[in-house]
């Protein structure tokens, strides 16, 4: 029998249970068994965490540190995350089913995000304004915006935590991070790392609980000044409504149905690799999955043949094993949805070239939420699999003849997160990337990310950008200071001279 790990919340620099002792189970998607439990934070816990963060920013030890000292602590965090990346990655894999090779690699890279923002901590500058009044010295300061509520989903927790915590702390804010109820363990394991680094109490608070009530109470809390949210569009609508209470600005990193265009002049091998990475990496559970693959007619048949063969060769299995290439989906709900949508798409006229079902003849995969890598040929974009975000290993392939047609197909979506273009024609690469409506475009590559490069979308993919230099501005507020430099006292406003 699996030994169960019972995690604790991390509030104001202390590990604790929920105030009413409430807990919930976390299931390992590759076995279907409960392996850990996490506290269900109550209103009292959320309130304590927000107050601790508020105290840290405005009165506590954190508020007395220089920006350079804040940067040193972020560097320490980066070092420690890099040291324990293997363990943090393994916990994330056990909790979410995501491949260990990905979670460990991504967590190691996450340390670069902390380092990037550590370096920025003492480079956040105000301006002296060339003001249009005599005897006035006017300047702006960029102050920490206040308490940041960071809400993360289950599919890349260490990464999506870093993209929020890095800039927030560099700006002098303090954070309350709420993990997803589907995979709560990585965040609570991360709490141990935060504790070792020695941040002043209240700077980073880590809590777990359900969207209702925990997420709602956090995002509507009167002392929260900024909400950084990553998750689904329906949840985002609740979050935006919650902030009607505190008027906290929100950034929304939501889902997508990203197009990946393959032109006849593309390097076919590279394009196939891009489509495989974009659809089967992380079992397709990626917001930037390139799940609408739009291929020019001259290459279409060959492309379908190659991706089908490659999909059939993918080694499915225990996500912790070194030779596994694709793990399970994170939840039974995800699995059922993939099965249902693929079947519905076939009824609408799509051709299933491979997959569309649970793996057969594998006793070791029966208990987990496994789904075969799937390739579907779609006659047009009325097919359900081309319209909805599936968050599973399902590649929908469409055919086009002209560049105009490809752009029209790519832009026929309510989302606007990522896009891929595979072509050997430089002029076309620029032309098409200009024409595509998305926050990120990758040319002859796919799913590349960096702390230096802004990340985000528009439309149903949300708004705001994470990563990059500009992201830090979202965690600051501008104060304008007017200083009268005249040797005379301020004039009486009711005496006209
Ligand atoms: P989700 O929307 O179900 O949950 C996200 C988080 O919101 C969870 O922590 C959840 O507890 C919380 N939540 C739920 N109800 C809430 C409420 N009323 N108030 C406040 N918080 C609430 O998303 P998920 O299923 O965990 O993650 C998958 C989604 O995330 C997909 O749509 C995916 O595309 C998206 N995603 C986007 C990005 C990106 O950077 N654009 C990255 C990863 C995932």
């Amino acid at each position: 029998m699996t030994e169960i790990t019972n995690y604790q919340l991390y509030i104001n620099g202390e590990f604790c249970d929920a105030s009413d002792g409430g807990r919930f189970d976390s299931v390992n998607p590759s076995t279907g068994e409960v392996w850990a439990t996490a506290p269900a934070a109550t209103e009292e816990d959320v309130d304590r965490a927000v107050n601790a963060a508020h105290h840290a920013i405005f009165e506590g030890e954190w508020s007395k540190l220089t920006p350079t000292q804040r940067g040193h602590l972020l560097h320490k965090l980066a070092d420690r995350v890099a040291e324990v990346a293997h363990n943090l990655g393994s916990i994330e894999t056990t909790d979410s089913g995501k491949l260990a090779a990905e979670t460990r690699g991504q967590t190691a890279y996450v340390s670069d995000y902390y380092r990037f923002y550590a370096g920025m901590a003492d480079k956040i500058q105000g301006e002296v304004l060339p003001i249009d009044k005599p005897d006035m010295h006017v300047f702006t300061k960029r102050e920490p915006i206040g308490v940041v509520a960071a809400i993360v989903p289950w599919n890349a927790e260490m990464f999506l935590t870093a993209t929020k915590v890095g800039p927030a702390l560099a700006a002098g804010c303090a954070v309350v991070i709420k993990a997803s109820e589907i995979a709560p363990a990585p965040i609570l394991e991360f709490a141990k790392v935060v504790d070792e680094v020695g941040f002043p109490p209240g700077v980073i608070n880590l809590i777990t609980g359900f969207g209702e009530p925990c997420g709602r109470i956090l995002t509507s809390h009167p002392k929260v000044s900024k909400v950084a949210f990553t998750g689904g569009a329906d949840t985002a609508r609740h979050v935006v409504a919650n902030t009607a209470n505190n008027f906290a600005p929100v950034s929304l990193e939501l889902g997508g149905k990203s197009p990946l265009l393959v032109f006849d002049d593309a390097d076919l091998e590279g394009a196939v690799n891009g489509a495989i990475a974009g659809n089967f990496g992380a079992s397709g559970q990626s917001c930037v999955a390139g799940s609408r693959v739009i291929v020019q007619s001259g290459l279409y048949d060959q492309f379908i043949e190659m991706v089908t063969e490659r999909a059939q060769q993918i080694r499915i299995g225990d996500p912790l094993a070194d030779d596994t290439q694709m793990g399970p989906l994170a939840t039974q709900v995800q699995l059922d949805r993939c099965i249902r949508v693929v079947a519905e798409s076939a009824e609408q006229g799509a051709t299933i070239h491979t997959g569309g079902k649970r793996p057969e003849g594998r006793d070791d995969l029966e208990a987990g939420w496994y789904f075969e890598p799937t390739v579907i040929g779609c006659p047009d974009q009325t097919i359900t699999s081309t319209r909805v975000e599936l968050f599973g290993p399902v590649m929908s392939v469409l055919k086009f003849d002209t560049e105009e047609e490809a752009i029209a197909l790519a832009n026929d979506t309510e989302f606007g997160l990522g896009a891929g273009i595979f072509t050997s024609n430089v002029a076309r690469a620029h032309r098409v990337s200009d024409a595509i409506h998305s926050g990120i475009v990758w040319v002859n590559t796919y799913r590349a990310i960096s702390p230096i490069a802004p990340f985000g979308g528009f439309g149903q993919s949300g708004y705001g950008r994470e990563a990059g230099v500009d992201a830090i501005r979202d965690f600051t507020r501008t104060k304008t200071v007017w200083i009268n430099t005249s040797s005379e006292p301020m004039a009486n406003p009711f005496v006209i001279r």
Side-chain angles (χ1 to χ4, degrees), residues 152-155 178 181 211 215 230-232 235 253-255 287 389 455:
V152 290
W154 48 266
N155 66 323
K178 192 198 93 58
E181 56 275 33
T230 304
T235 315
E253 293 288 349
L254 312 179
C287 53
E389 183 188 43
F455 185 98

Side-chain angles (χ1 to χ4, degrees), residues 269-412:
E269 182 72 24
V272 167
N273 284 335
I276 298 285
N279 283 273
F280 305 137
S283 304
Q285 300 171 117
S286 164
C287 53
V288 289
S291 51
R292 286 185 299 138
V293 181
I294 302 173
V295 186
Q296 201 158 13
S297 39
L299 275 188
Y300 185 86
D301 290 342
Q302 220 183 331
F303 182 88
I304 288 280
E305 199 179 309
M306 282 174 77
V307 286
T308 301
E309 198 184 317
R310 290 280 297 277
Q312 288 166 347
Q313 287 165 356
I314 290 174
R315 286 190 299 275
I316 308 175
D318 176 0
L320 279 171
D322 287 341
D323 61 348
T324 298
Q325 294 176 326
M326 211 180 86
L329 298 178
T331 64
Q332 174 85 53
V333 174
Q334 289 283 110
L335 174 63
D336 293 346
R337 186 152 184 270
C338 286
I339 293 171
R340 194 180 65 245
V341 169
V342 173
E344 185 180 312
S345 301
E347 276 167 26
Q348 292 166 334
T351 308
I352 302 177
H353 293 289
T354 189
K357 55 182 174 30
R358 293 174 58 94
E360 286 161 358
R362 290 273 306 269
D363 293 349
D364 58 326
L365 303 185
E366 254 168 39
W369 299 315
Y370 290 92
F371 188 70
E372 284 185 356
T374 299
V375 177
I376 322 180
C378 299
D380 56 42
Q381 292 198 130
T382 59
I383 305 293
T384 307
S385 71
T386 66
R387 305 224 67 90
V388 299
E389 183 188 43
L390 262 168
F391 234 54
V394 179
M395 183 193 302
S396 296
V397 191
L398 294 128
K399 197 191 286 190
F400 73 91
D401 288 313
T402 66
E403 189 177 301
E404 292 68 31
E405 212 185 313
I407 293 166
L409 281 168
N411 287 340
D412 178 20

Side-chain angles (χ1 to χ4, degrees), residues 150-156 159-160 163-164 178-183 209-220 227 229-240 242 252-256 285-289 331 334 389 391 415 417 455-457 461-462 466:
I151 309 273
V152 290
W154 48 266
N155 66 323
F159 169 64
L160 295 166
T163 56
K164 298 168 180 60
K178 192 198 93 58
S180 163
E181 56 275 33
I182 291 171
F210 291 84
E212 178 58 45
C214 180
R216 175 181 52 78
I217 293 164
L218 177 59
T219 51
S220 59
V227 177
F229 174 82
T230 304
D234 289 339
T235 315
R237 276 179 256 283
H238 287 288
V239 168
V240 172
N242 297 343
L252 300 175
E253 293 288 349
L254 312 179
Q285 300 171 117
S286 164
C287 53
V288 289
T331 64
Q334 289 283 110
E389 183 188 43
F391 234 54
F415 297 104
L417 187 54
F455 185 98
S461 297
E466 293 195 335

Side-chain angles (χ1 to χ4, degrees), residues 107-127:
T107 306
Y109 189 42
V110 151
S111 63
D112 281 3
Y113 281 73
Y114 289 116
R115 252 182 261 290
F116 179 80
Y117 287 108
M120 281 190 71
D122 54 9
K123 294 163 195 71
I124 306 168
Q125 298 168 347
E127 290 175 321

